[in-house]
Amino acid sequence: MFSYYFKLGLRNLRRNPALTALMVLTLAVGVAASISTLTILHVMSGDPMPHKSNRLIVPLFDNGPTKGYAPGDEPNDNQLSYGDVQRLLASGKGERRTAIMGIGASIEPDRKDVGAFIATGAGPTKDFFAMFDVPFLHGGAWSEADDKAGADVIVLTRKLSEKLYGDEVPVGRRMKLNGHEFLITGVMDKWDPIPRFYRVVGAGAFSTEDEFFIPLSSATRHEIFNSGNTNCTADRAPGYQAFLDSECTWLQFWFELRSASDRADLQNWLDAYAAEQRKLGRLQRNAPNKLFDLMEWMEYLKIVGNDNKLSAWLAFGFLVLCLVNTIGLLLAKFSVRASEVGVRRALGASRKEIFHQFLVETAVVGLVGGVLGLALSFGALALIAMQSKALTIVAHMDWVMLIVTFAMAVGSAILAGLLPTWRACQVTPALQLKSQ
């Protein structure tokens, strides 16, 4: 019976074509507006590493000055100083540890047809690649010995490798970066976490990918300054070593715990470390020391702002208005079929059967509206992606949102059709037959 009602619903789309087209268009516009904003919110707020996000921990303590500070104020910066990250790296806490700095450097390709250019990259430790499940196309990460020695080794993204070497496997070759020869140890496969959580501060959650990675120890040995936020609250002596020895905060740090239950132990260690530093005359604010797992860190940094959430609510409000209009149109469409309902009821059809028929017909309208709404959603996302590079990263639809689009369109149509369908079932057969 369902298939019959479905075919009947498809056939009835041609009845009152203008009214049907108006219903489908109204529903499609409402679905497209809400799905477009929901898609962006879904991508922005997604968990980029759901299988281990509760084990990836960011430590944060406040080394700002006491001047102007009141208990309860937020930390002076969301990054750590070089001295602190060196002690955290040496702590042995967690299964893996890495600090990360931003790097902007010049690259001199061997290819004659490609001129020198500036590339953006990062300076982590070798644990970075295992912590964040970075896939490799060729070769692999550098070794712990390379970290200790500050060796000139480099990992390229697939995109940069193809730009410099085409289809050739470059592992083992040397390339020039900032005038120094670096040995290529690996080429990453496509790795595009969204949000770009590992270096949000300074780089942004939706910035373009880092093109290369070199050891943090190599970057500091070559006296490369951080490309990103650097916060210094006091004057420091001139020179790079003075910069490293200062309280300037410019590095992000991540622990990977063996188990989420190890977090309490890490918190105790961090509190003890901060207390020790206070005895040495540092960390003057005596502020709480915090740990954030990956999603807590995204929430703390407000990756999804209130304006994004407000946009989603406004879009759903627009969908409600479209549904109200659709209800009015369905009432008009079903009211002209009162005589048909009266005849069917007189021939023995129950109200339940009439209800099922009209509800399936409404679902057909929702299905067609969903297809059109999906096309409009792709168009809206394409227009949004043209606004900026950051929006280009988040304005794309995945399979989850594709399914949600159809479910929302059909569900909305069925919801809108409940009242008109109920009204259609109330037709009295005797009155309808008499009026004929």
Side-chain angles (χ1 to χ4, degrees):
M1 188 59 75
F2 175 81
S3 61
Y4 170 72
Y5 287 156
F6 187 80
K7 292 175 183 174
L8 194 63
L10 288 175
R11 198 175 302 130
N12 281 333
L13 287 178
R14 294 195 294 270
R15 184 181 290 181
N16 296 325
L19 196 60
T20 302
L22 196 56
M23 279 191 300
V24 169
L25 186 61
T26 302
L27 194 61
V29 170
V31 168
S34 54
I35 284 296
S36 301
T37 53
L38 189 62
T39 295
I40 293 176
L41 193 66
H42 167 70
V43 174
M44 292 176 72
S45 60
D47 186 344
M49 298 196 72
H51 60 292
K52 61 160 63 172
S53 63
N54 63 344
R55 295 191 290 116
L56 295 173
I57 304 293
V58 174
L60 187 62
F61 42 84
D62 195 346
N63 73 344
T66 53
K67 184 180 180 180
Y69 172 73
D73 285 354
E74 289 297 317
N76 193 56
D77 191 18
N78 296 320
Q79 301 176 105
L80 303 180
S81 69
Y82 182 76
D84 282 325
V85 302
Q86 289 301 309
R87 288 183 280 273
L88 295 187
L89 286 172
S91 69
K93 304 303 293 184
E95 185 176 10
R96 298 185 178 95
R97 298 155 295 283
T98 189
I100 308 171
M101 66 174 287
I103 297 173
S106 63
I107 291 179
E108 300 173 47
D110 294 336
R111 292 173 57 175
K112 303 299 182 187
D113 57 330
V114 180
F117 60 93
I118 300 295
T120 58
T125 69
K126 65 105 180 171
D127 279 357
F128 172 88
F129 303 97
M131 285 177 73
F132 302 128
D133 297 342
V134 178
F136 276 88
L137 185 64
H138 305 296
W142 56 79
S143 67
E144 188 171 348
D146 290 331
D147 270 334
K148 290 180 179 176
D152 290 340
V153 288
I154 189 169
V155 168
L156 307 180
T157 59
R158 182 175 186 166
K159 187 176 179 181
L160 181 59
S161 173
E162 291 174 349
K163 180 177 181 178
L164 295 175
Y165 303 103
D167 295 333
E168 183 184 344
V169 178
V171 175
R173 293 189 57 161
R174 292 185 176 275
M175 60 173 283
K176 269 195 173 181
L177 184 137
N178 271 5
H180 304 288
E181 295 276 350
F182 279 75
L183 176 67
I184 302 171
T185 65
V187 176
M188 293 163 52
D189 206 347
K190 184 175 175 56
W191 184 62
D192 192 23
I194 301 174
R196 210 170 302 287
F197 61 93
Y198 63 90
R199 196 162 68 88
V200 173
V201 182
F206 306 104
S207 60
T208 53
E209 65 178 359
D210 289 309
E211 298 171 278
F212 64 88
F213 296 84
I214 64 174
L216 172 64
S217 52
S218 175
T220 54
R221 187 170 65 80
H222 288 299
E223 301 189 354
I224 297 175
F225 280 95
N226 178 48
S227 175
N229 289 3
T230 298
N231 185 17
C232 298
T233 56
D235 294 335
R236 57 178 174 81
Y240 193 79
Q241 186 58 49
F243 172 64
L244 297 183
D245 294 338
S246 72
E247 295 292 343
C248 295
T249 49
W250 52 284
L251 290 153
Q252 295 177 57
F253 198 92
W254 288 87
F255 284 107
E256 180 183 347
L257 302 180
R258 292 180 178 83
S259 165
S261 60
D262 294 341
R263 180 169 171 165
D265 176 63
L266 181 61
Q267 182 70 61
N268 293 335
W269 180 87
L270 190 66
D271 291 342
Y273 170 76
E276 179 188 356
Q277 294 301 307
R278 288 189 188 98
K279 289 179 182 176
L280 296 173
R282 301 185 57 239
L283 308 183
Q284 302 168 20
R285 287 190 172 186
N286 197 24
N289 311 300
K290 301 179 180 179
L291 294 178
F292 302 88
D293 68 23
L294 195 158
M295 293 309 291
E296 291 170 346
W297 186 238
M298 298 296 102
E299 179 69 23
Y300 177 74
L301 296 179
K302 293 184 170 50
I303 299 304
V304 181
N306 291 332
D307 52 341
N308 302 110
K309 296 175 182 175
L310 179 62
S311 299
W313 281 114
L314 290 175
F316 276 104
F318 181 69
L319 176 62
V320 171
L321 286 177
C322 291
L323 287 181
V324 171
N325 285 330
T326 304
I327 290 172
L329 295 170
L330 282 171
L331 282 170
K333 180 181 175 70
F334 288 170
S335 64
V336 299
R337 296 171 63 186
S339 58
E340 173 193 332
V341 174
V343 171
R344 285 205 61 202
R345 291 276 287 118
L347 292 175
S350 66
R351 285 181 174 175
K352 184 178 179 181
E353 289 171 325
I354 299 295
F355 187 85
H356 284 167
Q357 176 192 339
F358 278 61
L359 207 57
V360 171
E361 289 185 25
T362 304
V364 171
V365 172
L367 195 61
V368 177
V371 173
L372 183 59
L374 186 64
L376 293 177
S377 298
F378 278 119
L381 290 173
L383 288 175
I384 292 171
M386 293 169 64
Q387 305 306 309
S388 69
K389 286 186 177 178
L391 287 174
T392 301
I393 294 174
V394 298
H396 63 83
M397 188 177 292
D398 57 17
W399 282 103
V400 173
M401 294 310 301
L402 195 65
I403 295 171
V404 168
T405 301
F406 280 106
M408 179 178 291
V410 175
S412 299
I414 291 176
L415 188 65
L418 287 177
L419 177 62
T421 302
W422 178 81
R423 287 283 302 274
C425 294
Q426 305 310 308
V427 169
T428 305
L431 291 177
Q432 287 298 321
L433 293 175
K434 185 178 180 182
S435 66
Q436 299 301 313

